[in-house]
Amino acid sequence: MSVRRSGRFCRCLALLAGLATTAAPAADALVVLTVDVEYLESGMPLYAAIATQAERAQQGVESTRRSEIELARDLRQSEVLTALPEAISEVALAANADLVLDREVAQRVGASAADDVTEEVERILVSQFSQLPLEPGT
Amino acid sequence: MSRLLVLLCACWLPWVAQATARMLVVDLSEAYTRSTALAGLLADIDAELKALAQRHRPTLERLRSELQQLKQQAPADRDQQLAIARKISDVEAAAELEEERLAQANQAAIEQVDQAITEVKGMLKKETGARAVLDIQETQYVRPDCPCLATERLYELLNQRLPKVELRLADAES
């Protein structure tokens, strides 16, 4: 390798080093995850399971009791919705994520390649609520 | 050797581009205290509402008292009672109109601030090379120490761009 070529090589290395420095923001390249909010808020089979549970409990009972069960079902569904942000946070913390976005938002801002954690969030909610009995009147 | 460098650059550059194309998140939930324009607007609206109440209250109180007295002293004098009731209704209508004008002026001022926020978001994007500036409500989770949080800088730029917003009340006749 001639001296001139070696000099060029050094300059190129310096350029690369420069690029590495400008790539310092890579440290703040974000870990972004996505979830399907619509599915988690209304489409999960968990909601259907809660409805089925309520329907079964309503069979052969008087109307006052039926309304109580109906109320218990509504309450359980709102409990799931209340637990949703916590479940998302739990998954985000475990993944050391910076941001969790709804799929639609992620698509809009060009981050649709981010990992989707809808299933993980659903798993948490299912484990938390699927085995709980409906407790009318409480 | 140069081929090797080209290859290295080809691998490196897209990564650099991706790393710098970041996202920012801003929390505007405290805008009414953190934006000097909005805080000022809130104070102006408050003062206007107090002044408005002050302007009409004495007249309304006097007329209501007159009406009350009239009902007790001359219950049969319906015309006079009706005249006072009409005056009360006129004053109330005028007050309502003023409130409406105030609401419109408030709306226009808020729109000005909204516009400034949009501009400032654009400035933030340019300044940081971010590909998007999201409101925190658009996110499902943000790590509290996320480098993406740019709320402080947003308010800094917003307060420079629009330190105050004027409450422009339309003329009563228009």
Side-chain angles (χ1 to χ4, degrees):
Chain A
M1 190 189 289
S2 70
V3 174
R4 186 182 289 177
R5 286 189 73 185
S6 136
R8 197 185 303 155
F9 177 64
C10 286
R11 274 198 299 277
C12 284
L13 277 181
L15 176 72
L16 274 176
L19 284 174
T21 316
T22 51
D28 58 35
L30 304 174
V31 179
V32 182
L33 302 174
T34 63
V35 285
D36 184 345
V37 173
E38 198 185 338
Y39 172 78
L40 291 169
E41 282 181 351
S42 57
M44 282 193 298
L46 177 61
Y47 296 116
I50 293 168
T52 309
Q53 198 183 356
E55 273 169 33
R56 280 199 199 117
Q58 280 174 325
Q59 280 168 8
V61 296
E62 47 143 345
S63 70
T64 317
R65 181 77 179 152
R66 266 207 301 277
S67 334
E68 283 175 358
I69 294 167
E70 193 74 18
L71 202 65
R73 188 195 71 171
D74 291 347
L75 196 66
R76 176 58 40 80
Q77 283 182 346
S78 65
E79 279 172 351
V80 176
L81 291 175
T82 307
L84 178 57
E86 276 176 43
I88 292 173
S89 297
E90 199 179 318
V91 174
L93 285 169
N96 206 21
D98 291 295
L99 264 179
V100 182
L101 302 175
D102 180 24
R103 266 185 211 168
E104 276 182 25
V105 176
Q107 229 162 16
R108 178 160 58 80
V109 298
S112 43
D115 284 342
D116 193 278
V117 290
T118 307
E119 271 181 40
E120 284 88 329
V121 175
E122 182 177 10
R123 214 172 292 139
I124 291 173
L125 294 172
V126 167
S127 73
Q128 210 173 328
F129 293 102
S130 66
Q131 301 303 317
L132 283 183
L134 282 178
E135 289 158 11
T138 58
Chain B
M1 183 60 69
S2 56
R3 270 190 209 148
L4 176 69
L5 286 173
V6 168
L7 185 70
L8 272 171
C9 283
C11 297
W12 190 259
L13 281 171
W15 182 73
V16 170
Q18 196 182 7
T20 49
R22 44 191 286 216
M23 265 176 281
L24 297 178
V25 177
V26 292
D27 183 356
L28 292 165
S29 61
E30 290 177 352
Y32 273 95
T33 49
R34 302 290 310 275
S35 153
T36 52
L38 280 178
L41 178 66
L42 210 61
D44 288 350
I45 289 286
D46 196 43
E48 283 291 335
L49 279 173
K50 276 182 188 152
L52 196 148
Q54 209 58 36
R55 258 198 308 278
H56 297 289
R57 195 179 296 144
T59 317
L60 278 173
E61 278 174 1
R62 182 179 49 79
L63 287 171
R64 281 178 188 143
S65 155
E66 273 178 33
L67 186 63
Q68 194 63 30
Q69 276 178 2
L70 210 63
K71 276 180 181 171
Q72 284 164 357
Q73 289 162 7
D77 195 349
R78 302 286 295 166
D79 284 351
Q80 214 175 341
Q81 284 178 31
L82 215 61
I84 295 177
R86 224 172 270 137
K87 274 184 196 167
I88 291 175
S89 164
D90 286 349
V91 175
E92 282 173 345
E96 256 176 54
L97 205 68
E98 279 185 53
E99 262 181 54
E100 205 174 301
R101 279 170 51 222
L102 192 57
Q104 280 169 359
N106 181 38
Q107 196 51 44
I110 288 172
E111 275 167 24
Q112 245 182 291
V113 180
D114 279 345
Q115 178 62 34
I117 289 172
T118 306
E119 283 171 26
V120 163
K121 281 181 178 174
M123 286 159 77
L124 263 177
K125 263 171 88 172
K126 214 170 173 181
E127 187 177 277
T128 59
R131 69 176 133 181
V133 180
L134 294 169
D135 284 343
I136 205 157
Q137 289 93 339
E138 291 180 281
T139 69
Q140 300 301 314
Y141 166 86
V142 184
R143 195 161 70 177
D145 62 346
C146 181
C148 59
L149 284 166
T151 307
E152 293 303 315
R153 182 68 182 139
L154 177 118
Y155 284 125
E156 203 179 314
L157 289 171
L158 180 63
N159 291 337
Q160 280 169 16
R161 167 79 187 75
L162 190 72
K164 187 161 173 43
V165 67
E166 212 178 312
L167 189 63
R168 288 191 186 135
L169 289 163
D171 290 338
E173 285 157 18
S174 64

